[in-house]
Amino acid sequence: MDAVAQEKITKILKGEIKYTSTNLAFNMMISKLQKKLQADPGSLDSCLTDMEAFLKKYPIVAKVDLANITAL
């Protein structure tokens, strides 16, 4: 994940940017990580690591959604 995408994903997880994917699993991952971050604001690095692992596991989702997120 490049720096721009990571910055935008950080903003999405913090709730500063609203993003909805066409992929249900990705939306669920975002919601899960947003709740985790709200419960423990110090868990941002862990959340980004979890997101990175998810995107590596599902490269098609990563390709489409990272392009959309970077364009935000």
Side-chain angles (χ1 to χ4, degrees):
M1 176 170 25
D2 66 9
V4 173
Q6 185 171 344
E7 177 187 339
K8 300 275 178 127
I9 287 174
T10 299
K11 289 182 178 184
I12 290 168
L13 295 180
K14 289 181 176 180
E16 297 170 7
I17 298 175
K18 176 92 171 120
Y19 178 74
T20 304
S21 172
T22 56
N23 184 291
L24 178 61
F26 192 61
N27 287 333
M28 291 173 63
M29 186 67 175
I30 290 171
S31 294
K32 175 184 163 188
L33 295 178
Q34 285 175 330
K35 289 175 187 171
K36 180 178 177 180
L37 190 59
Q38 286 175 350
D40 179 12
S43 68
L44 180 60
D45 288 338
S46 173
C47 290
L48 290 174
T49 301
D50 292 349
M51 180 63 77
E52 186 84 39
F54 179 87
L55 294 173
K56 282 183 181 176
K57 188 172 181 179
Y58 303 104
I60 295 171
V61 174
K63 181 180 176 184
V64 172
D65 284 305
L66 283 181
N68 292 339
I69 289 170
T70 303
L72 290 176

